[in-house]
């Protein structure tokens, strides 16, 4: 769980991104939303960010990257723009006694970019775990940008989802044609149930004469079933798929580096 | 030629429409909040509808290379349910403040009842408060009187005419609207409202200043390609290319651009957009092969 101290570190690390005018705008709003009696203004302030803060994508030096990764593992796996960083500051400013009801109700009316910022910001809340149900609801979205905010470079999933929920997230990646390599904590999230579901997915796709994304094997590795092994042996593969399948059959490991390089 | 359809209800249209619209040159659309045919009976239905306009529909349009914007408002028909209307008015500000909301609308009169008048005025005040233009829907019945009355009320509230678009005009209302300095919208319907041929004559008579064509296509008999089709007929019948560009693109950009939320740079690009990596997700494409959409920039 993120501590108040980590929140302060996070905020001080990102401040250099904002112009003095933007900084001033955010500071004024945060001072208001920090008070319980004004916290209802959160919705409008959150929306108005689009009018007062630029949507420029942020760049970081190596010290900043290290600091941000320490607080928010996976931070550098996705792009953050200034509007998102302004919005997560508004989220952090809400008093914990009211942040759950305010943020959950705002989720119901948020437009696409707002949803993206909301999902990216949940991990930064001191009571992040209380938002797990909303996060699993988000996995059901079909809006790609929103899904990406949930799946990629977001430490929330690995930290708070149950294994079954995590497995749905990974499966959904494949069904939405998303590349899983940017999922934070991917290799630590391998498990037998996920490998089983993915091998059913392989059989289904191959039976239909369709391809499966090669990254599926990353999550299957170590849990290869005999029936799938037989199918692999009967299959004529080429290129990267052949390289991967040959290695799997030979029971040799493929390193995270191998997969990450293959994604490029 | 590129087009903007500044009034179309895409929630009622199919992906075929989106494909055809993009192929015909439509690069951006504005979806005014309106009624759904079936009257809503609770405020949650409005909330989810408004959320759809800034959420799912925006995403759906993006998959076909079209930028989607909307206007927010309580329509005149449903303003007649006072208990519900009060709740909707309370809900509206948080949607008005969102990115890509380019006006308050469509608001105005249907039967010209007292309640319609009440909520029209409340929303004109919201437009002032949030510094947004206004899209006014004019009634089908008693149109001329309703149009004149709408303009009177706008003036009474101190909103300058350059911030107001009066829509669904015809030959009977156009002169008064333009003479008083308002923008005049013309909805081209296959059977009712304005027809394409009549629109050509209007364009010849009034020129292109503050004249805007839209389809208002929705769940009824209507045509999502009204704007490009009308443009083609205007060109064929001797309206200049410059005038057609203004009526079917530039004027909508100039009017709604006043919101600060409607910028040409949002859609001007010169590259090939592949649907699979555009705004992705196979949920709209449903396993169909994505198409290569050639996105020609706005060569002037």
């Amino acid at each position: 769980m993120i501590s108040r101290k980590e929140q302060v570190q996070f905020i001080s690390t990102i401040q250099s991104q904002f112009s003095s005018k933007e900084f001033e705008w955010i500071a004024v709003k945060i001072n208001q939303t920090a008070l319980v009696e004004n916290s209802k203004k959160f919705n409008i302030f959150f929306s108005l960010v689009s009018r007062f803060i630029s949507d420029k994508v942020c760049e970081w030096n190596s010290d900043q990257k290290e600091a941000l990764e320490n607080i928010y593992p996976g931070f550098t796996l996705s792009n953050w723009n200034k509007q998102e960083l302004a919005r997560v500051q508004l989220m952090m400013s809400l008093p914990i006694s009211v942040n759950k009801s305010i943020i959950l109700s705002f989720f119901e009316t948020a437009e696409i970019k707002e949803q993206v910022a909301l999902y990216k910001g949940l991990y930064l809340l001191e009571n992040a775990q209380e938002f797990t149900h909303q996060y699993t609801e988000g996995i059901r979205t079909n809006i790609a940008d929103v899904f990406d905010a949930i799946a990629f470079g977001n430490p929330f999933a690995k930290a708070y989802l149950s294994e079954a929920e995590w497995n749905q997230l990974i499966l959904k990646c494949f069904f939405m044609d998303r590349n899983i390599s940017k999922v934070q904590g991917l290799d630590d999230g391998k498990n037998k149930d996920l490998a089983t579901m993915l091998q059913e997915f392989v059989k289904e796709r191959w039976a239909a004469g369709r391809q499966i994304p090669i990254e599926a094997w990353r999550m299957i590795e170590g849990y290869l079933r005999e029936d799938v092994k037989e199918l692999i042996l009967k299959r004529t593969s080429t290129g990267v798929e052949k390289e991967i399948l040959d290695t799997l059959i030979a029971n040799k490991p493929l390193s995270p580096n191998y997969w990450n390089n293959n994604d490029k | 030629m590129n087009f903007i359809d500044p009034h179309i209800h895409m929630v009622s249209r199919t992906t075929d429409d989106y494909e055809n619209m993009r192929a015909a040159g439509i690069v951006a659309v504005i979806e005014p909040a309106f009624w759904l045919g079936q009257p809503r009976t609770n405020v949650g239905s409005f909330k989810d509808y408004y959320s759809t306009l800034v959420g799912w529909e925006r995403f759906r349009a993006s998959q076909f290379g079209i930028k989607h914007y909307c206007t927010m408002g309580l329509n005149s028909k449903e303003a007649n349910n006072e208990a519900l209307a009060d709740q909707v008015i309370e809900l509206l500000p948080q949607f008005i403040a969102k990115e890509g909301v380019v006006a308050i609308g469509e608001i105005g009169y249907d039967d010209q009842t007292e309640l319609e008048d009440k909520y029209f005025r409340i929303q004109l005040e919201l437009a002032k408060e949030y510094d947004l233009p206004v899209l006014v829907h004019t009634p089908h019945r008693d149109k001329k009187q309703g149009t004149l009355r709408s303009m009177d009320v706008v003036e009474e509230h101190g909103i300058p005419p350059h911030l107001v678009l009066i829509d669904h005009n015809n030959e009977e209302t156009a002169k008064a609207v333009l003479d008083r300095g308002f923008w005049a919208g013309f909805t081209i319907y296959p059977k009712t409202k304005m027809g394409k041929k009549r629109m050509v004559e209007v364009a010849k008579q009034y020129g292109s200043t503050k004249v805007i064509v839209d389809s208002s296509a929705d769940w009824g008999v209507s045509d999502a390609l009204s704007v490009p089709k009308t443009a083609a007929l205007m060109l064929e019948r001797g309206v200049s290319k410059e005038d057609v560009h203004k009526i079917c693109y530039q004027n909508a950009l100039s009017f709604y651009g006043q919101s600060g939320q409607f910028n040409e740079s949002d859609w001007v690009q010169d590259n090939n957009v592949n649907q699979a990596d555009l705004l992705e997700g196979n949920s709209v494409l449903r396993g169909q092969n994505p198409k290569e959409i050639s996105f020609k920039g706005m060569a002037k």
Side-chain angles (χ1 to χ4, degrees):
Chain A
M1 210 69 102
I2 286 266
S3 65
R4 185 65 205 147
K5 193 176 152 216
E6 286 171 308
Q7 286 186 340
V8 172
Q9 280 172 351
F10 183 89
I11 290 169
S12 77
T13 310
I14 63 174
Q15 283 321 329
S16 60
Q17 299 287 336
F18 297 101
S19 70
S20 55
K21 207 174 151 196
E22 289 172 330
F23 179 83
E24 179 69 14
W25 189 88
I26 296 167
V28 168
K29 302 305 177 211
I30 278 175
N31 281 337
Q32 294 191 48
T33 47
L35 302 170
V36 173
E37 60 269 32
N38 287 331
S39 55
K40 286 218 164 69
K41 293 182 182 165
F42 173 83
N43 291 11
I44 296 230
F45 292 165
F46 202 88
S47 296
L48 288 178
V49 163
S50 70
R51 284 163 165 79
F52 294 94
I53 311 293
S54 114
D55 62 356
K56 192 172 157 280
V57 172
C58 300
E59 286 171 28
W60 311 99
N61 64 36
S62 55
D63 287 349
Q64 290 170 325
K65 280 183 184 169
E66 196 185 330
L68 293 165
E69 278 285 339
N70 276 336
I71 300 164
Y72 190 108
F75 186 89
T76 55
L77 286 174
S78 75
N79 283 331
W80 286 73
N81 67 39
K82 288 162 67 172
Q83 291 181 354
E84 289 162 359
L85 289 174
R87 284 173 165 157
V88 301
Q89 287 184 74
L90 283 168
M91 291 167 75
M92 285 187 269
S93 75
L94 287 171
I96 283 205
S97 59
V98 294
N99 77 348
K100 191 175 173 191
S101 65
I102 289 175
I103 291 174
L104 289 185
S105 114
F106 187 63
F107 261 111
E108 295 178 353
T109 60
E111 55 90 28
I112 296 172
K113 289 180 187 171
E114 291 168 351
Q115 287 190 55
V116 166
L118 286 169
Y119 281 114
K120 286 175 116 170
L122 289 180
Y123 181 80
L124 289 164
L125 302 176
E126 289 173 87
N127 55 342
Q129 190 158 19
E130 292 178 31
F131 293 85
T132 305
H133 180 75
Q134 180 64 48
Y135 202 86
T136 58
E137 191 57 36
I139 296 170
R140 298 190 176 92
T141 188
N142 284 326
I143 299 178
D145 280 2
V146 177
F147 184 79
D148 288 357
I150 292 166
F152 300 149
N154 195 327
F156 192 103
K158 196 75 203 70
Y160 301 117
L161 296 187
S162 69
E163 187 176 283
E165 290 160 348
W166 163 269
N167 289 349
Q168 277 308 312
L169 174 69
I170 303 298
L171 278 180
K172 184 88 187 268
C173 284
F174 289 113
F175 280 86
M176 286 187 72
D177 288 332
R178 319 309 292 155
N179 186 327
I180 59 172
S181 64
K182 286 184 179 167
V183 175
Q184 172 61 22
L186 184 67
D187 292 304
D188 292 337
K190 286 167 76 164
N191 65 72
K192 187 161 184 271
D193 279 354
L194 178 59
T196 300
M197 286 190 277
L198 283 172
Q199 286 174 95
E200 293 302 326
F201 173 61
V202 169
K203 288 172 76 174
E204 188 184 305
R205 280 279 171 101
W206 281 0
R210 296 173 69 187
Q211 297 289 322
I212 67 145
I214 53 165
E215 305 90 48
W217 299 109
R218 182 170 183 171
M219 307 312 283
I220 293 170
E221 188 190 5
Y223 301 98
L224 189 62
R225 291 184 341 211
E226 283 305 316
D227 57 334
V228 176
K229 206 183 259 184
E230 278 172 34
L231 284 178
I232 292 174
L233 290 170
K234 280 188 230 155
R235 187 177 170 85
T236 322
S237 316
T238 54
V240 181
E241 186 185 79
K242 180 173 165 46
E243 191 176 297
I244 291 167
L245 294 180
D246 286 350
T247 317
L248 280 179
I249 292 292
N251 226 349
K252 287 189 213 148
L254 285 164
S255 71
N257 271 344
Y258 171 84
W259 292 105
N260 291 338
N261 288 335
N262 243 328
D263 287 327
K264 281 168 195 159
Chain B
M1 204 169 202
N2 284 313
F3 303 105
I4 293 170
D5 190 339
H7 188 145
I8 183 162
H9 303 285
M10 291 311 302
V11 295
S12 307
R13 310 302 302 193
T14 63
T15 56
D16 284 356
D17 286 328
Y18 269 126
E19 284 187 3
N20 295 334
M21 288 163 70
R22 189 63 193 82
I26 294 176
V27 291
V29 294
I30 296 171
E31 175 149 11
F34 194 44
W35 77 307
L36 299 175
Q38 180 72 28
R40 281 164 280 210
T41 57
N42 61 71
V43 70
S45 301
F46 278 91
K47 184 175 91 173
D48 292 342
Y49 171 69
Y50 296 145
S51 299
T52 299
L53 296 185
V54 294
W56 182 244
E57 202 55 46
R58 206 172 261 188
F59 169 68
R60 223 164 66 96
S62 72
Q63 289 208 303
F64 299 91
I66 293 178
K67 281 292 286 184
H68 181 279
Y69 304 80
C70 62
T71 73
M72 287 290 175
L74 168 64
N75 66 83
S76 51
K77 275 177 192 281
E78 286 171 302
N80 288 299
N81 180 343
E82 191 171 17
L84 183 53
D86 280 340
Q87 296 174 63
V88 175
I89 293 297
E90 201 177 319
L91 179 72
L92 269 175
Q94 61 170 310
F95 285 101
I96 291 170
K98 289 191 191 293
E99 185 174 357
V101 175
V102 298
I104 304 294
E106 48 186 308
I107 58 174
Y109 296 112
D110 179 43
D111 279 348
Q112 301 184 53
T113 62
E114 269 178 47
L115 282 172
E116 289 171 17
D117 187 64
K118 172 184 168 186
Y119 293 105
F120 183 29
R121 289 170 185 275
I122 288 174
Q123 293 183 93
L124 289 174
E125 287 301 311
L126 276 177
K128 281 158 71 178
E129 188 182 339
Y130 285 89
D131 203 13
L132 283 174
V134 179
L135 169 62
V136 175
H137 163 94
T138 53
H140 305 274
R141 300 170 297 278
D142 195 14
K143 177 173 279 292
K144 183 141 193 208
Q145 204 46 46
T147 304
L148 295 174
R149 183 175 170 193
S150 302
M151 291 189 289
D152 291 344
V153 170
V154 166
E155 284 169 358
E156 213 179 288
H157 282 261
I159 299 179
H162 71 85
L163 283 174
V164 181
L165 167 55
I166 307 286
D167 209 354
H168 314 318
N169 282 287
N170 59 27
E171 293 90 342
E172 298 300 309
T173 58
K175 187 169 185 322
V177 170
L178 290 168
D179 281 352
R180 288 168 73 165
F182 290 86
W183 296 76
F186 292 87
T187 293
I188 312 302
Y189 267 9
K191 289 174 183 150
T192 55
K193 297 193 181 175
M194 272 307 273
K196 290 195 289 287
K197 289 175 194 161
R198 284 161 59 200
M199 187 61 221
V200 174
E201 295 312 311
V202 167
K204 285 182 176 172
Q205 188 177 347
Y206 295 102
S208 59
T209 305
K210 290 194 169 178
V211 171
I212 293 175
V213 159
D214 63 68
S215 75
S216 297
D218 57 12
W219 26 253
V221 175
S222 47
D223 185 354
L225 297 179
S226 274
V227 174
K229 283 181 184 172
T230 305
L233 192 67
M234 285 196 282
L235 289 171
E236 189 187 309
R237 301 207 173 172
V239 178
S240 76
K241 206 176 163 190
E242 291 69 34
D243 280 346
V244 173
H245 173 71
K246 280 175 79 178
I247 293 171
C248 300
Y249 182 89
Q250 184 58 48
N251 286 348
L253 180 58
S254 301
F255 174 72
Y256 285 107
Q258 297 179 100
S259 66
Q261 297 295 305
F262 194 59
N263 305 305
E264 200 174 37
S265 58
D266 292 350
W267 61 81
V268 172
Q269 34 189 318
D270 193 2
N271 53 4
N272 280 324
V273 177
N274 181 309
Q275 279 179 342
D277 45 49
L278 190 61
L279 276 169
E280 311 105 343
N282 54 10
S283 49
V284 174
L285 299 176
R286 294 234 169 85
Q288 299 298 306
N289 285 330
K291 290 185 181 175
E292 288 281 342
I293 297 174
S294 180
F295 234 68
K296 255 337 241 180
M298 314 289 299
K300 287 267 162 69

